[in-house]
Amino acid sequence: MAVQSYIKIKGGLKLKGEVKVSGAKNSVLPLLFSSLISEGEHHFKNIPDLKDLHLALKLLSSLGLSHKKLKQELIIQNRQKLTGDPCPKSVQSFRASILCLGPLMDIGKTVKIPLPGGCDIGARPIDLHIESLNKMGAKICIKKSHIVAIAPKNKLKACQLKLKFPSVGATENLIMACVLAKGTSFLENIACEPEILDLIRYLNKMGAKIEQLKKRKLKITGVKKLLTLKQAYPVIPDRIEAGTWLIAGACVRGQITVKKCETKHLKSLFEKLKLIGFDVKWNSSTALLKPGSQHKSINVKTGVYPAFPTDLQSQFIALMTSLKGTSSLLETIFENRFRYVEQLNRLGAGIQFENPSKILVKGPVLLKSNKLMATDLRAGAGLVLAGLMTPGTSEVYGLHHIERGYENFVPKLKSLGADIQLCSSKSKLYK
Ligand code: UD1
């Protein structure tokens, strides 16, 4: 009989204490893929231990790169011309695998790979990645669920283009493609999430010539090759993890100190927490949340950075169930990110849809414990937060989703005083 892991939560306890944030998942993945475009050693620190990171390393290994991981440091060796082919299973297992495409076209490697997998939160097309790389001289098309990508014989050529939408992944792929391309590229309407700026910082340290002309405009002058850095490059802290802990504290009216974060990346969250009535204070790397005297309902609209992050949507909705009055959340990035709402309603949350992109939460609701299934990574975090608020014992299944993007999720919550544990069951699979 199959063994199924789940998280068991005895809810209703107040959280209190300090928690340290790990390196950012969405930063480390593009950084890892950027090692494809430069021979030599790539040394990173503040590396989180995540499932998606292991998948990315497997994919890089299949192409011929080796690596050594020591606690929170990682050294990737790119020694030779890449002779291997990308491991199809790794590509299929996570969405960010698409980030190998720009670098591979940049170094002239033709590949056929399956379409990337990852969280089921919408159609998640890759048209922007493909169209822009094709404008640079690659020949990429989709045939029978596979990406067939033919690299140009000579270098990619520089481009001038404006993205239809500031896609995070497409911006990262394009940046990595332009770094070694022939000529000077101008990219407009790019995404400018902190993780993208982290990638730019790393590439520039290696000798790339990337200039941010305006908030959403880059000038990239192609260079012949990149250099090896002498020092380990630190990955920025994970703002979504930091936000998750603050919202967890807010959900149970606890007093939480989040350390080792970049608070300047969390402004949109602080603003909403303060509007609700929480007392939030911060310096550059630490944030402190305390409950206020009353907590009122709030309207939230997700958007591209610096707006409220879609990756904190489900956690915030868990919080909304405890607020007095009707709160609303409008999702503008992914069209299918509310699948977990049905699970929250299994706790008695009574969440309603005003339209497919907007939900209404009437609070406060006294949630009732139940068994829940995580439908994606962040939904999993949101369901656990709801479990923390719910008296009695709740179980959250689909743990593999949470492990993709949170390091030590359960131990960190335990250290804040949550009654939570990892369990496995051999009984009938819960779906
Ligand atoms: C990244 C993050 C993810 C976050 C998201 C939005 C990583 C590894 N993942 O995902 O955690 O939720 O940004 O902040 O960094 N789109 C297209 N065509 C494309 C590409 C995107 O239509 O070619 C659409 C998507 O379907 C989606 C929107 O653009 O509706 C945003 O996607 P994008 O910014 O590309 O997100 P990801 O890079 O996949």
Side-chain angles (χ1 to χ4, degrees), residues 20-24 46 48 72 236-238 241 260 407-408 412:
K20 284 187 190 139
V21 174
S22 305
N46 201 27
Q72 289 172 336
I236 57 168
D238 196 309
E241 187 201 332
K260 282 183 80 179
E407 181 178 55
N408 292 330
K412 284 187 182 186

Side-chain angles (χ1 to χ4, degrees), residues 340-353 372:
Y340 66 90
V341 164
E342 188 190 318
Q343 299 292 313
L344 282 180
N345 282 344
R346 287 166 60 91
L347 298 174
I351 299 168
Q352 288 174 350
F353 281 84
L372 306 168

